[in-house]
Amino acid sequence: MSFTGDLLKSRVIVITGGGTGLGRAMGERFLQLGATVVIASRRDAVLQAAATEMMALHGGRVVPIACDVRDPEAVEAMIESAWTQCGGVDGLVNNAAGNIAAPTERLSHRAVDSVLGIVLHGSIYCTLALGKRWLAAGRKGRVLSIVTTYAEGGSAYVVPSAAAKAGVLAMTRSLAVEWGPRGITCNAIAPGPFPTKGAWERLLPDPSLLTEAIDRIPVRRAGELLELANLAAFLMSDLSLYINGDCITIDGGEKLKGAGQFSWMGSLTSAQWAALEASARGATTKDRSPREA
Ligand code: HXC
Ligand code: NAP
């Protein structure tokens, strides 16, 4: 089961944070499907090594450009360089992120600014820099932002990330309406847990935390990077042109399990279920008048 090799033929796609983790997995998939990929993040050495490895594995062209997305001038220079080197750009994946798992009262304002700067400002700066070029050139464009399943409902202990991802989701939905008529679509992916060094070493460093995290997922496993990369490829391709302003969750059902008021009942033993049934049936019988019972 696979997409055909020309799904993204001749497309140029910029991926922020494209040298590691999910960004790199998406970049590799886009390359396999015919795209030219621009990867942008802070660490030039990481980007250079990733570009060399990606081209050795899949052929095609990967252009590494060092850029701190918190800096609007650096973003402008990165997008200008991508556009010039590749003869235009067709798509953007806002994937770069920072996150700190901590009780919120332990965070300084610099810690808050750091996460908001990377996730919220970085995503808006990149989207604006490309969007202005697309609109001026009358060119179509696609923006895909990687958010989180807590972008909508928030989450304790990752407050700057939750606030920033909520903002990115709001940007996605707002621009889908504003720029949709001019050929630019904006969508988001909300991933559940996917094993990447950057996220898991920072947020789930203790194996017991990992076991707990997996236990919460109805399909009982973490996501595979290729599963997310294939979803992203679909959303960057012409197969999904009518999807605009949406956020696709890919989490094995984790978010819904947390939301269902009775989902905790999955931990009941069969004896407890039998006792519950007997008690519920007894209550029903008691509630009826003698004639009904
Ligand atoms: C409290 C912390 C902290 C911590 C850093 N700080 N870590 N405060 N608890 N664990 C504080 C610092 O002391 C400093 O404040 C401020 O934050 C900025 O820290 P720096 O190290 O100077 O910042 P910087 O080098 O810019 O690093 C940014 C970062 C870092 C966000 C802190 O973690 C980073 O570079 N992350 C990028 C990759 C990443 O996070 N990947 C995971 C994405 S996963 P003071 O006041 O001391 O100066 C994700 C979703 C996962 O987003 C979903 C679930 C699986
Ligand atoms: P990751 O490998 O740590 O990716 C983060 C990337 O962002 C890195 O390549 C990093 O590169 C880049 N970055 C950080 N700060 C930057 C800055 N100021 N400017 C430019 N680039 C910057 O983690 P990941 O798991 O692949 O995360 C990728 C995306 O998926 C993120 O948006 C994350 O929120 C989302 N996500 C991940 C999971 C998961 O389980 N893995 C779950 C939900 C959502 P440099 O350090 O070189 O800058």
Side-chain angles (χ1 to χ4, degrees), residues 78-201:
M78 179 270 287
I79 295 294
E80 178 60 30
S81 169
W83 193 279
T84 311
Q85 289 190 61
C86 304
V89 172
D90 303 290
L92 166 69
V93 182
N94 288 313
N95 167 78
N99 202 347
I100 300 173
T104 308
E105 65 275 18
R106 290 171 68 121
L107 299 178
S108 68
H109 62 86
R110 282 175 294 273
V112 172
D113 286 354
S114 172
V115 174
L116 286 170
I118 302 168
V119 177
L120 182 56
H121 289 100
S123 299
I124 297 187
Y125 294 155
C126 292
T127 305
L128 254 186
L130 258 174
K132 284 178 180 175
R133 280 174 173 77
W134 286 329
L135 294 172
R139 207 176 150 133
K140 290 189 188 333
R142 311 211 79 185
V143 180
L144 175 64
S145 297
I146 309 302
V147 295
T148 50
T149 49
Y150 54 73
E152 257 172 302
S155 175
Y157 306 112
V158 284
V159 164
S161 170
K165 295 286 191 183
V168 173
L169 193 52
M171 173 191 79
T172 299
R173 291 172 171 157
S174 308
L175 285 178
V177 175
E178 192 176 331
W179 287 354
R182 287 178 281 172
I184 300 169
T185 61
C186 298
N187 290 295
I189 292 178
F194 281 76
T196 64
K197 192 168 180 291
W200 290 37
E201 277 184 4

Side-chain angles (χ1 to χ4, degrees), residues 1-3 21-22 25-26 28-30 32-33 58 194-195 223-233 250:
M1 231 178 358
S2 191
F3 296 122
L22 295 182
M26 288 186 274
E28 291 199 22
R29 194 69 186 114
F30 296 172
Q32 289 175 329
L33 296 170
H58 308 292
F194 281 76
E224 288 172 17
L225 270 55
L226 186 58
E227 293 175 311
L228 184 133
N230 274 328
L231 175 59
I250 177 167

